[in-house]
Amino acid sequence: MLAGELYLADDPEIAADALRSALLNETFNATSAGEPEARRTALAELLGEVGEGTEIRPPLRVDYGHRITVGPRTFVNFGAVFLDVARITIGADVQMGPNVQLLTPAHPIDPEPRRAKWEAAQPITIGDNVWLGGGVIVCPGVSIGENTVVGAGAVVTKDLPANVVAVGNPARVIRKIGEAEEERPTAP
């Protein structure tokens, strides 16, 4: 499974890992905003690595959790879904709008193996200082380069380079960051 090869999800070891994650996910999602330390502890138990100063707002849904690393100072808004059958690596200073989905699982196109419940997965990598707008979906095997901005509702099916703005379904690069355009508000 971790090598990206076909596997059956009803394997007892995988099922036990999924149950562990589901219970930790419930704990994290039940934490109170008034108890930031309890929330941080639950998140640290659920995920493989959580950088300092990172905030992830519940509800959060993950498959296993321990295959997810999140860099420091990252912010993930409400309703994120991170299906970590394969590794998910999120860099430092990443911003994610509500309802972002990072989806590593893949299923066979051929109907027979799919009917037999075979699955596979490919890792996802989100570079430092990336901004994913609300509702962005990142598909299996995708890497997004540092500083890239992905517009709300985009579906990212292929790698995106660093320092670009991408929008649409499927997401496509519309410009490099720093090219002349009528910029929206920027910091002084």
Side-chain angles (χ1 to χ4, degrees):
M1 178 172 84
L2 295 176
E5 297 176 11
L6 290 173
Y7 69 95
L8 293 171
D10 63 357
D11 174 87
E13 185 178 340
I14 294 172
D17 200 14
L19 177 60
R20 170 207 157 273
S21 172
L23 295 171
L24 289 171
N25 221 132
E26 287 176 3
T27 300
F28 171 72
N29 287 330
T31 60
S32 167
E35 298 177 311
E37 289 305 315
R39 181 171 285 176
R40 178 89 180 162
T41 298
L43 190 62
E45 284 184 56
L46 176 61
L47 303 184
E49 185 178 324
V50 181
E52 189 168 330
T54 286
E55 180 181 354
I56 299 177
R57 292 182 171 175
L60 168 69
R61 298 283 183 236
V62 303
D63 271 334
Y64 304 101
H66 58 85
R67 294 187 191 107
I68 301 169
T69 60
V70 183
R73 300 170 308 279
T74 288
F75 174 78
V76 179
N77 215 324
F78 305 107
V81 175
F82 298 163
L83 300 186
D84 61 319
V85 175
R87 176 166 286 294
I88 295 175
T89 305
I90 301 168
D93 302 299
V94 172
Q95 301 288 312
M96 293 189 195
N99 301 310
V100 166
Q101 299 178 47
L102 306 180
L103 311 175
T104 69
H107 300 276
I109 300 298
D110 183 47
E112 289 309 314
R114 195 171 61 246
R115 185 176 292 117
K117 307 299 183 208
W118 287 101
E119 300 178 20
Q122 298 174 321
I124 291 174
T125 302
I126 309 296
D128 293 344
N129 202 36
V130 166
W131 174 17
L132 301 179
V136 166
I137 297 173
V138 179
C139 293
V142 167
S143 291
I144 298 176
E146 67 182 16
N147 303 318
T148 287
V149 175
V150 181
V155 178
V156 186
T157 61
K158 295 182 179 176
D159 291 354
L160 294 175
N163 302 302
V164 298
V165 176
V167 299
N169 180 3
R172 69 187 198 311
V173 174
I174 59 168
R175 70 177 183 90
K176 292 181 180 177
I177 293 176
E179 286 183 346
E181 69 129 337
E182 291 182 34
E183 294 264 344
R184 293 204 175 164
T186 59

